[in-house]
């Protein structure tokens, strides 16, 4: 539990240290850009409904072919990243790199999950946020809205990585399924805005083109690598690189050998000079009703009343949650509570964890003080080895008090019922919620 607290503390420090930069990306006006950056302003009707999706049916000038080309490139890069991670020590990644039948291992991992993983905090909470941001920028730079770009990042992180490549090595992760696209949205939008500031400054950071180049590479490696090659050759040489798999079972002495092949393809473009029109353009959705302001991060303290069948004392815990506040009426979040409880029989400390995915429906939405109903599902875990984990349904009531467009107080009572154990636990929580970007808009 001490190790877990250190990880959580590091995550909190990382989130809090990033707040000024994330907020600045939403509030600062864009700098003057070169002529070939062409802002796109949409008819407000394009935002109706607010959470409409044009990802699969581009209707507002989005470059769907560009997004598809870079999606294929990401498959190739992800396979390369997997190869690197498989070579790292297991204790640093949490991956099972023992080899064996990969298809069988993938099937077993997918069937077993998802579960709360215990990889290193840097890999879980910094690496995944960065990768989520890379996914996000593929769609964002192709002209899609923030909401579409978030959905793209969600699909890539879920199907390409968690239930795709990573499932060859470990069980899909609950927190990664939620954290990667949401944190990727925050980081990706900040990186997107920051890149334009660097490019408007002649690709310089602190007056240095070298620092500028390194910064652009880190902000968006997928886009930067292709542009760099084309810039060096002064040709539109590499349009997209991508890979694909083929599978062929081989029968040898009555044994089936499962062979998986990776094929790599790099199309070569025309020999003419690169068109400026192909350079990244700024898509300025000035009236977009959906941005990072719908993302909320919460921290609370609470008291748990445990079912007597667990034979542990009630106690205090810390609770964190990350969610999407779609409207003043509706939100959804993933929560994680952790603390130390005392065993009544042995007087020894037991590590207590509880995580869940739940949805909130708010009443009195025009008021600053909003009662709400909450419900969802999750697991209680005792001991970090997951030996004692119990599926639970949860439901309760709470109150949300909006102090500021970006800050609110939150308090609730939640009951947790386990059908298999026939137990009923309770949590009483109180804490703060921080909204990113511009926070809650006056018009909801």
């Amino acid at each position: 539990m001490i190790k877990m607290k250190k990880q959580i503390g590091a995550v909190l420090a990382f989130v809090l240290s990033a707040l000024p930069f994330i907020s600045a990306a939403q509030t600062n006006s864009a700098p003057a850009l070169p002529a070939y950056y062409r802002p796109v302003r949409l008819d407000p009707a394009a935002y109706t409904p607010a959470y409409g999706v044009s990802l699969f049916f581009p209707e507002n000038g989005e470059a769907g072919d560009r997004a598809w080309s870079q999606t294929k490139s990401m498959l190739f890069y992800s396979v390369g990243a997997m190869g690197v991670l498989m070579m790292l020590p297991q204790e640093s990644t949490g991956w099972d790199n023992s080899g064996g039948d990969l298809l069988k291992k993938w099937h077993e991992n997918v069937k077993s999950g998802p579960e709360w993983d215990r990889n290193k905090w840097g890999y879980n909470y910094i690496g995944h946020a960065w990768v989520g941001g890379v996914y996000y920028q593929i769609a964002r730079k192709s002209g899609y809205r923030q909401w579409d770009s978030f959905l793209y990042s969600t699909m890539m992180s879920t199907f390409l990585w968690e239930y795709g490549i990573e499932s060859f090595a470990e069980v899909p992760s609950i927190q990664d399924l939620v954290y990667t696209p949401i944190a990727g949205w925050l980081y990706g939008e900040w990186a997107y805005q920051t890149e334009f500031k660097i490019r408007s400054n002649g690709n310089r950071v602190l007056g240095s083109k070298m620092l500028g180049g390194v910064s652009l590479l880190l902000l968006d490696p997928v886009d930067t690598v292709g542009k760099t090659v084309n810039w060096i050759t002064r040709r539109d040489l590499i349009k997209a690189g991508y890979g694909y798999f083929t599978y062929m079972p081989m029968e040898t002495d009555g044994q089936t050998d499962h062979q998986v092949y990776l094929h790599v393809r790099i199309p070569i473009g025309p020999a003419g000079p690169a068109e400026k029109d192909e350079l990244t353009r700024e898509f300025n959705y000035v009236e977009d009703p959906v941005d990072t302001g719908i993302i909320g991060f919460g921290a609370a303290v609470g008291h748990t009343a445990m079912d007597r069948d667990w034979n542990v004392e009630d106690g205090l815990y810390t609770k964190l949650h990350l969610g999407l506040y779609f409207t003043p009426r509706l939100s959804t979040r993933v929560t994680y509570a952790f603390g130390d409880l005392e065993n009544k029989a042995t007087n020894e400390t037991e590590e207590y964890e509880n995580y869940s995915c739940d949805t909130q429906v708010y009443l009195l939405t025009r008021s600053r003080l909003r009662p709400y109903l909450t419900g969802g599902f999750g697991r209680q875990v005792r001991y970090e080895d997951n030996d004692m984990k119990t599926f639970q349904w949860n439901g309760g009531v709470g109150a949300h008090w909006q102090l500021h467009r970006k800050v609110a107080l939150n308090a609730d009572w939640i009951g947790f019922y386990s059908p298999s154990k026939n137990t009923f636990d309770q949590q009483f929580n109180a804490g703060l919620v921080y909204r990113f970007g511009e926070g809650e808009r006056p018009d909801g």
Side-chain angles (χ1 to χ4, degrees):
M1 183 55 66
I2 293 175
K3 180 180 178 182
M4 177 63 70
K5 289 179 180 178
K6 288 182 178 179
Q7 294 179 359
I8 296 298
V11 173
L12 284 171
F14 172 73
V15 170
L16 293 174
S17 65
L19 295 183
F21 300 102
I22 294 170
S23 297
Q26 305 299 317
T27 57
N28 291 350
S29 58
L33 296 170
Y36 52 74
Y37 290 103
R38 300 186 300 187
V40 176
R41 296 175 181 268
L42 299 184
D43 186 320
Y47 303 130
T48 305
Y51 291 96
V53 178
S54 62
L55 187 59
F56 304 105
F57 306 99
E59 299 176 346
N60 305 301
E62 300 95 336
D65 54 346
R66 178 190 184 278
W68 174 235
S69 175
Q70 293 214 348
T71 299
K72 292 182 287 187
S73 297
M74 276 304 305
L75 174 60
F76 170 64
Y77 300 147
S78 297
V79 171
M82 178 185 179
V84 173
L85 291 170
M86 290 292 285
M87 292 187 292
L88 295 176
Q90 185 172 346
E91 57 270 18
S92 65
T93 64
W95 280 23
D96 177 8
N97 51 14
S98 57
D101 189 331
L102 289 179
L103 289 179
K104 181 179 179 181
K105 186 180 296 185
W106 178 88
H107 181 264
E108 291 176 348
N109 287 338
V110 169
K111 186 178 179 180
S112 299
E115 68 177 20
W116 197 267
D117 79 35
R118 305 188 184 283
N119 292 337
K120 297 292 186 180
W121 72 266
Y123 173 75
N124 261 357
Y125 300 111
I126 295 180
H128 276 268
W130 181 75
V131 172
V134 171
Y135 293 147
Y136 174 90
Q137 290 180 84
I138 289 176
R140 190 75 167 95
K141 288 184 176 180
S142 298
Y144 290 94
R145 294 172 52 196
Q146 291 192 38
W147 176 243
D148 282 308
S149 302
F150 164 71
L151 294 178
Y152 175 87
S153 179
T154 300
M155 290 189 296
M156 291 289 284
S157 61
T158 299
F159 299 111
L160 172 62
W161 193 253
E162 287 298 322
Y163 279 92
I165 289 173
E166 195 172 39
S167 289
F168 286 102
E170 68 175 16
V171 176
S173 161
I174 290 175
Q175 69 265 47
D176 291 347
L177 288 170
V178 176
Y179 178 81
T180 302
I182 295 180
W185 187 355
L186 291 170
Y187 168 73
E189 185 62 23
W190 172 81
Y192 174 77
Q193 302 291 346
T194 301
E195 176 179 339
F196 283 109
K197 293 179 181 179
I198 294 175
R199 293 193 182 281
S200 69
N201 195 38
N203 291 351
R204 290 181 172 85
V205 170
L206 299 178
S208 168
K209 277 204 168 185
M210 178 179 291
L211 287 178
V214 172
S215 298
L216 291 173
L217 176 63
L218 294 175
L219 289 171
D220 187 0
V222 177
D223 199 31
T224 303
V225 168
K227 286 182 177 180
T228 301
V229 172
N230 290 343
W231 177 82
I232 291 174
T233 61
R234 302 295 180 181
R235 295 290 187 273
D236 188 15
L237 187 63
I238 298 180
K239 290 182 178 293
Y242 59 91
Y244 61 94
F245 292 101
T246 57
Y247 164 69
M248 181 180 296
M250 302 288 292
E251 293 286 344
T252 305
D253 298 329
Q255 300 289 327
T256 301
D257 185 15
H258 301 277
Q259 297 287 339
V260 179
Y261 299 91
L262 169 65
H263 304 260
V264 179
R265 180 180 177 185
I266 302 179
I268 303 299
E275 295 288 339
K276 287 185 176 181
D277 207 38
E278 295 299 319
L279 296 173
T280 301
R281 290 171 290 181
E282 181 192 28
F283 292 85
N284 185 20
Y285 296 112
V286 295
E287 299 177 10
D288 194 339
V290 181
D291 58 24
T292 55
I294 77 169
I295 302 174
F297 173 77
V301 294
H303 183 272
T304 181
M306 303 294 291
D307 191 289
R308 65 179 63 184
D309 286 353
W310 297 120
N311 201 34
V312 294
E313 298 285 355
D314 301 342
L316 298 175
Y317 60 86
T318 302
K319 190 169 189 176
L320 306 174
H321 78 255
L322 184 65
L324 299 176
Y325 291 75
F326 298 106
T327 68
R329 176 73 68 185
L330 182 69
S331 68
T332 185
R333 65 191 184 188
V334 60
T335 65
Y336 173 66
F338 59 97
D340 293 326
L341 304 179
E342 184 178 313
N343 186 293
K344 293 179 180 179
T346 64
N347 293 326
E348 294 181 352
T349 297
E350 292 189 6
E351 296 166 344
Y352 165 79
E353 296 175 274
N354 180 291
Y355 52 83
S356 67
C357 297
D358 42 56
T359 298
Q360 296 71 48
V361 177
Y362 299 84
L363 310 175
L364 305 178
T365 57
R366 294 184 179 276
S367 171
R368 286 184 175 271
L369 182 60
R370 305 166 196 163
Y372 64 84
L373 304 176
T374 181
F377 59 91
R379 279 179 176 171
Q380 178 196 141
V381 180
R382 308 260 290 288
Y383 304 106
E384 287 193 358
D385 57 9
N386 285 337
D387 278 351
M388 296 179 65
K389 57 184 179 182
T390 307
F391 175 83
Q392 295 177 320
W393 294 104
N394 66 72
V397 296
H400 178 94
W401 185 14
Q402 198 73 30
L403 301 177
H404 178 269
R405 59 185 173 82
K406 301 182 71 167
V407 180
L409 288 174
N410 203 76
D412 52 36
W413 166 86
I414 302 176
F416 297 82
Y417 173 69
S418 168
S420 62
K421 302 292 186 181
N422 196 28
T423 56
F424 183 77
D425 308 324
Q426 303 177 68
Q427 287 185 0
F428 303 87
N429 314 279
L432 290 172
V433 178
Y434 177 87
R435 296 277 291 271
F436 291 86
E438 294 293 337
E440 183 175 294
R441 300 187 180 186
D443 56 2

